[in-house]
Amino acid sequence: MAKKPGKKVISLMLAGILALSGMLPLWSENGTSGNINDVEIVPIEDIVALSPTPPDTLSTVADTLLIAKTYIDSLFYQADSIFYDYDSEQIYLFGDTSVRYQSSTILADSLQIDLKNERAFSIGKTVMMDKDQVLIGDQVLYDTKSQTGMMYNAASKMDKGFYYGEEVRKVDDDVYDVDGGRFTTCNDPEPDFWFWAKEMRLYRNDKIVGKPVIAYVNHMPIFYFPFITFSIKRGRQAGFLIPEPGYNTVDGKFIKNIAFFYPYKDYADATLGFDLMEKTGWNANLETRYTKRYLYNGNFDTSIRRQISQTSTNTDYSVRGTHHHELGNKATFDANIDYVSNKRIWESSTDIDQSLAQSITSSLSFRKPLLSSYLNVGATYTEDLINNTANISLPSATFSLPSRPVYELFTKKDDTSVSNNWWTNFNYSYNVRLDHTGNLRDKQRSLQDLVWNNTYDSTGTHLINEHHLGMKHSAGLNYSYKALGWLNLTQGFNYNEVWADRDKNDDKWVRGNDYSTTSSANFTIYGIRNLPNFYVSTVRHIITPSVSFNYSPDFTDNSRFYYFGGTGLMASKQSRTVNLALDQKWQLKLRPQGNLQERKLNDILSWTTATGINLEKDERKFGNIAHNISFKPGAYNLGKTKITWGSSYNLTHNPYQMHWLNWKPISQYFSHTLSITGNAKYRDYFPRKVNQDFASYLSADDSLNTIIQSQTGAPKDEAWSFSLTQDMSTGRNLLHPENNSFRMNADFKLTTNWSLGYSNYYNVKDSRMISQSFDINRTLHCWKLSIQYTRRTDYWDYRIVFFNASLPDALKFQTKDNKRY
């Protein structure tokens, strides 16, 4: 009599076939495998009693399988029918077979378990699933003794790609061999490109190695690699990046981005790169990034460039970095480092901000809450790259108490018993500032020059390096109230005091002060006109006239003080001035029409006029009159097109040289911007089908399922935009401006697959194009072609990039060139 199979043996055999699904993590960069020695199975005897039928009769198992008791880490299997052959020690599962262990599941047409030889087989289509990972093949063969097995015609979906293999064999715990392996990111059932390898070895959660490898496009071999390897580790991994070989007229032959990437734990990484150019030398750079949530973040980049030309050889370097640190209790520290040894290092840069930069600034800042306000301490270093001069502020500290009621100094803030008293309208403010500044004009300056040293030129009369140290206190007191229920009145007094290390008479540790008073009044008038028979239903006109009087005594003696940083005093004669201003705004309300709802256009037109009166003058007391007019009609939708336009106009004129009909402007400035955006419908008359092999096994909200989506010929909306800005400035005649320039930016989706971007900066007065750039993009299903061209006054460059949309960094081919005249 044949030995009846035991629970442990059945568990091993069924778990064995699941062990082959260890390929799932390998194909998908992630996954877990159970220990089959710990697997338990719900015995079939506990589910249904077997009928005493002959061994050659199939025994049908009822749906009572669904009421089986559940155990943690148990192995479950079910089928339409299960057959035991005790003589040959075989178990057969037929029809809609399913085996589940923890998060892993196997679906197959049929399963056979050979207890005698300790082997397991799946027959027909087999699907292995582990969480959101799927592996599909024709059949699986597994040997429990050797822990090896194979699968035929296997297919898997990993992250952004699809993998296929004619035969997959498990040769070790974490090693698999694949014959006829293919990889593609194309989601078409008949992909338009793939990489094929005759022999491929996969190291689970590590890497894939293949040889030889052929790249196919539309079934045509276009490239051959004798050997290829790439990592499939999840997350950031140390390794070499793909270098960029090429040629251009300036550098000659080059290899760029010879780089090694090294991540440190989960919050830092570094990239060490090297560029080698045939004609112009070499460049080495180190880029680092780091972040720790709620604590700090930043980056640090340094570069060294050895530049060779026909006349000279130079070595230049740059250091750039930022750091932000949370110190607790809302205190923060920030640092910004930006330094170059010479502007030459940016000559070949395609970054327009770098190539046109005339100065760079480094800074340190510390911010800490203090007395319901903030204490700010900082330092800055600004270098003029053109004249090789520098300005330093080390340190600079400020503390400000914004305007607040005086009564809060004597009562509690939440005391409502004093809120209606007249004296609660008194407010005070205070500000203190400490500054140490240095103007460094010595091209061979030392560290001592940066810190304090004052250095004279060879004549001993002019300072080359000049430093100043001082502190300024500012205090203010004002009283505000509303008279007659509509007139806003404010009176104020401001006092400033400066302590400085020296003055222009070379007196040491000097003190000075100034003070001033001000009074102001303003009110607002509202006018409303309803238009019952017009599209514009309501017009509101808001007028706000204001007047202020300012007085300060004679402080001409303060001219002996230096003005540096934010430390300075008034040094003018006695001043009594009256400032007049009239602010006007127009607002509209539009009636609903058709599908358009009622609209409000706030401040569609604004006009501000201001002038001053100097009461110290005996004649011509009025100053220049300045006007600012802005027109902002808002955005209008015309179908799927939105039009936005805005303009502003500034005019200054002398009231004593004008006529009511001829204002004779002294200066004018006009600027306007037109912006048009919209959506255009594009219909794909020949939509590509999408690979649906894995769709039924992935949940609808699965992130891996983003590629698997239906495509139809329905029209799609694609955005486009166009903007044009003009700036003009002149004296008297705006039709003959002294400066006139246009800036244009446009992005258009020409067809389903073609898009165009264009921008320029044009000097209209000189009829000269300052800069312009083109960006042409062509979508090729899962690939994209990008052509970029930039032209400036003395520089041009182009770049042609052909890259995979899913893996733009790994699968990219490009060529570029540039030249500076």
Side-chain angles (χ1 to χ4, degrees):
M1 181 176 179
K3 182 181 178 181
K4 182 178 179 180
K7 174 168 63 176
K8 189 67 174 181
V9 177
I10 297 176
S11 299
L12 287 172
M13 297 306 298
L14 290 177
I17 196 170
L18 276 170
L20 188 56
S21 66
M23 291 184 294
L24 293 175
L26 177 132
W27 291 100
S28 59
E29 298 186 349
N30 190 21
T32 58
S33 299
N35 187 345
I36 62 175
N37 293 324
D38 297 329
V39 174
E40 294 183 4
I41 189 169
V42 180
I44 197 69
E45 296 89 340
D46 295 345
I47 301 174
V48 61
L50 294 176
S51 302
T53 54
D56 57 349
T57 303
L58 296 178
S59 181
T60 302
V61 181
D63 288 340
T64 53
L65 284 171
L66 300 177
I67 64 174
K69 186 179 179 180
T70 303
Y71 296 94
I72 298 177
D73 290 338
S74 292
L75 183 74
F76 298 90
Y77 61 91
Q78 67 179 16
D80 291 341
S81 60
I82 300 177
F83 172 71
Y84 297 88
D85 188 336
Y86 296 110
D87 294 334
S88 59
E89 299 187 37
Q90 304 283 330
I91 299 178
Y92 299 92
L93 288 80
F94 296 103
D96 197 17
T97 300
S98 174
V99 179
R100 178 167 56 87
Y101 173 70
Q102 292 184 349
S103 61
S104 299
T105 303
I106 291 183
L107 305 176
D109 293 338
S110 301
L111 286 174
Q112 177 185 349
I113 302 174
D114 186 341
L115 300 174
K116 182 177 181 180
N117 297 312
E118 298 185 17
R119 294 178 180 176
F121 309 90
S122 73
I123 303 171
K125 180 180 179 181
T126 303
V127 179
M128 295 181 176
M129 294 183 292
D130 185 3
K131 295 182 180 178
D132 53 8
Q133 316 300 330
V134 180
L135 179 65
I136 301 175
D138 287 343
Q139 54 184 314
V140 172
L141 297 85
Y142 193 81
D143 189 297
T144 308
K145 294 179 181 179
S146 62
Q147 297 287 300
T148 60
M150 65 177 60
M151 188 176 195
Y152 296 100
N153 298 324
S156 179
K157 182 174 180 294
M158 182 194 78
D159 199 11
K160 298 180 180 180
F162 297 88
Y163 289 81
Y164 304 90
E166 296 175 2
E167 181 177 301
V168 179
R169 297 181 301 277
K170 181 180 180 183
V171 296
D172 204 346
D173 288 342
D174 295 317
V175 181
Y176 301 82
D177 283 345
V178 181
D179 291 342
R182 290 187 298 151
F183 164 72
T184 181
T185 60
C186 181
N187 61 352
D188 197 285
E190 293 292 334
D192 49 21
F193 89 98
W194 64 86
F195 293 90
W196 176 88
K198 181 180 179 181
E199 297 177 356
M200 187 181 295
R201 173 157 288 187
L202 300 93
Y203 298 87
R204 185 158 64 106
N205 296 329
D206 187 8
K207 60 181 175 291
I208 297 179
V209 181
K211 67 174 186 178
V213 178
I214 302 176
Y216 282 85
V217 175
N218 289 334
H219 299 273
M220 179 179 294
I222 62 168
F223 209 85
Y224 170 80
F225 304 89
F227 174 86
I228 194 171
T229 180
F230 59 92
S231 174
I232 57 173
K233 294 180 180 179
R234 179 170 290 275
R236 303 174 305 151
Q237 303 294 331
F240 286 94
L241 305 181
I242 300 176
E244 177 192 336
Y247 172 84
N248 62 49
T249 56
V250 176
D251 300 321
K253 299 176 182 178
F254 64 79
I255 300 179
K256 296 184 178 181
N257 198 35
I258 306 173
F260 182 79
F261 175 79
Y262 180 78
Y264 177 73
K265 297 184 178 179
D266 293 330
Y267 50 85
D269 60 52
T271 303
L272 179 63
F274 188 78
D275 302 335
L276 181 62
M277 286 74 71
E278 178 186 19
K279 297 180 180 179
T280 56
W282 53 267
N283 180 66
N285 59 79
L286 174 66
E287 299 178 0
T288 64
R289 299 177 302 169
Y290 55 90
T291 181
K292 195 165 186 179
R293 196 175 183 184
Y294 307 124
L295 189 58
Y296 56 78
N297 64 77
N299 66 280
F300 180 80
D301 303 336
T302 182
S303 177
I304 302 176
R305 179 177 176 84
R306 181 75 168 178
Q307 190 168 7
I308 302 172
S309 65
Q310 295 179 351
T311 58
S312 63
T313 299
N314 301 291
T315 301
D316 302 312
Y317 62 91
S318 69
V319 178
R320 312 188 79 175
T322 61
H323 178 81
H324 173 77
H325 209 116
E326 298 287 341
L327 302 176
N329 297 323
K330 296 184 179 180
T332 60
F333 173 78
D334 290 274
N336 177 67
I337 301 173
D338 197 350
Y339 179 78
V340 295
S341 60
N342 194 288
K343 195 175 185 296
R344 286 187 304 259
I345 198 171
W346 288 340
E347 286 183 353
S348 59
S349 174
T350 57
D351 187 340
I352 189 172
D353 293 330
Q354 286 186 347
S355 60
L356 298 180
Q358 297 185 358
S359 64
I360 53 176
T361 299
S362 299
S363 63
L364 300 172
S365 65
F366 170 76
R367 178 182 172 100
K368 178 179 177 59
L370 180 64
L371 299 177
S372 301
S373 186
Y374 281 91
L375 170 67
N376 297 280
V377 181
T380 60
Y381 178 82
T382 300
E383 185 170 6
D384 188 328
L385 299 176
I386 307 300
N387 301 310
N388 197 18
T389 60
N391 295 314
I392 189 171
S393 174
L394 179 68
S396 173
T398 61
F399 173 72
S400 298
L401 285 176
S403 180
R404 60 188 60 191
V406 175
Y407 75 86
E408 290 184 357
L409 298 174
F410 311 101
T411 62
K412 295 181 179 180
K413 293 182 180 181
D414 55 355
D415 188 354
T416 59
S417 62
V418 301
S419 59
N420 295 324
N421 294 318
W422 64 271
W423 43 268
T424 59
N425 291 325
F426 280 97
N427 296 278
Y428 75 96
S429 61
Y430 174 75
N431 177 75
V432 60
R433 182 183 183 96
L434 171 67
D435 266 310
H436 164 237
T437 65
N439 297 321
L440 312 174
R441 305 178 186 91
D442 189 352
K443 294 179 172 52
Q444 304 298 325
R445 45 188 174 269
S446 64
L447 179 61
Q448 187 177 359
D449 295 330
L450 293 175
V451 177
W452 180 250
N453 197 28
N454 291 320
T455 307
Y456 288 87
D457 61 7
S458 57
T459 63
T461 58
H462 297 91
L463 283 168
I464 300 177
N465 299 320
E466 182 178 1
H467 289 262
H468 295 282
L469 175 64
M471 178 182 289
K472 181 178 181 178
H473 300 266
S474 300
L477 180 68
N478 68 79
Y479 179 70
S480 302
Y481 64 97
K482 182 172 289 188
L484 306 176
W486 55 271
L487 182 60
N488 301 308
L489 300 175
T490 301
Q491 288 75 40
F493 175 79
N494 295 287
Y495 176 82
N496 300 300
E497 182 169 305
V498 168
W499 306 340
D501 65 310
R502 70 184 190 279
D503 61 13
K504 295 179 181 179
N505 300 326
D506 208 26
D507 294 331
K508 307 298 183 183
W509 300 112
V510 292
R511 171 185 169 275
N513 64 74
D514 66 39
Y515 57 87
S516 63
T517 63
T518 181
S519 297
S520 64
N522 68 78
F523 60 92
T524 302
I525 302 174
Y526 296 91
I528 298 178
R529 173 62 61 89
N530 295 318
L531 305 174
N533 299 322
F534 291 91
Y535 173 54
V536 178
S537 62
T538 305
V539 178
R540 183 164 71 169
H541 185 194
I542 304 174
I543 303 176
T544 305
S546 61
V547 58
S548 64
F549 172 75
N550 299 280
Y551 169 77
S552 61
D554 187 340
F555 288 112
T556 53
D557 185 58
N558 285 342
S559 60
R560 63 190 178 95
F561 289 94
Y562 289 101
Y563 191 101
F564 57 92
T567 305
L569 293 171
M570 287 190 295
S572 58
K573 295 181 179 180
Q574 176 178 286
S575 172
R576 292 178 299 146
T577 60
V578 176
N579 297 313
L580 303 173
L582 179 65
D583 184 56
Q584 302 182 75
K585 297 178 181 178
W586 286 264
Q587 300 174 346
L588 304 180
K589 182 184 292 185
L590 307 180
R591 295 183 186 278
Q593 286 191 350
N595 296 326
L596 297 178
Q597 298 179 352
E598 182 182 77
R599 296 182 61 198
K600 295 180 180 180
L601 301 179
N602 293 326
D603 304 340
I604 184 175
L605 179 64
S606 301
W607 185 357
T608 300
T609 302
T611 188
I613 304 174
N614 189 342
L615 300 180
E616 295 295 330
K617 286 187 175 182
D618 295 331
E619 56 183 13
R620 297 198 172 191
K621 298 178 180 294
F622 280 90
N624 292 334
I625 301 176
H627 304 269
N628 175 262
I629 303 173
S630 63
F631 180 61
K632 299 178 181 179
Y636 289 86
N637 294 320
L638 301 176
K640 290 194 174 183
T641 302
K642 179 184 290 186
I643 300 177
T644 305
W645 183 57
S647 63
S648 64
Y649 175 66
N650 293 278
L651 167 68
T652 304
H653 59 87
N654 188 332
Y656 300 101
Q657 298 178 357
M658 61 168 286
H659 187 272
W660 290 109
L661 300 179
N662 185 2
W663 287 6
K664 295 183 179 180
I666 298 174
S667 65
Q668 299 178 80
Y669 174 75
F670 176 72
S671 175
H672 66 99
T673 300
L674 173 66
S675 176
I676 305 175
T677 61
N679 293 317
K681 287 184 178 292
Y682 297 94
R683 182 180 294 275
D684 190 355
Y685 292 96
F686 303 98
R688 302 284 294 266
K689 294 182 179 180
V690 178
N691 190 331
Q692 298 288 343
D693 292 342
F694 303 89
S696 59
Y697 306 109
L698 295 174
S699 60
D701 58 349
D702 198 315
S703 60
L704 290 176
N705 200 23
T706 55
I707 298 179
I708 301 179
Q709 52 185 327
S710 60
Q711 292 186 358
T712 65
K716 300 177 181 179
D717 288 339
E718 299 288 352
W720 58 270
S721 64
F722 172 84
S723 65
L724 180 66
T725 300
Q726 183 183 16
D727 295 287
M728 293 191 300
S729 61
T730 187
R732 291 184 176 273
N733 193 344
L734 192 62
L735 298 178
H736 297 85
E738 296 175 0
N739 297 289
N740 188 4
S741 64
F742 274 102
R743 294 179 182 268
M744 187 179 75
N745 291 280
D747 289 289
F748 293 104
K749 184 83 170 181
L750 302 179
T751 67
T752 304
N753 296 317
W754 284 96
S755 62
L756 171 66
Y758 176 73
S759 64
N760 67 26
Y761 176 30
Y762 183 75
N763 189 323
V764 180
K765 184 178 183 298
D766 299 335
S767 300
R768 183 166 60 99
M769 184 69 72
I770 304 299
S771 66
Q772 61 179 328
S773 63
F774 296 87
D775 188 358
I776 303 173
N777 291 277
R778 172 69 162 94
T779 300
L780 301 167
H781 195 228
C782 44
W783 290 79
K784 286 187 178 180
L785 175 66
S786 175
I787 303 174
Q788 301 173 349
Y789 174 80
T790 301
R791 180 68 180 263
R792 296 197 293 271
T793 305
D794 59 347
Y795 174 86
W796 64 260
D797 72 77
Y798 75 84
R799 183 188 301 262
I800 301 175
V801 184
F802 182 59
F803 62 95
N804 186 272
S806 300
L807 302 172
D809 295 327
L811 300 177
K812 178 172 65 175
F813 307 91
Q814 67 175 348
T815 180
K816 60 183 179 180
D817 199 356
N818 62 76
K819 186 174 183 180
R820 184 177 296 276
Y821 298 104

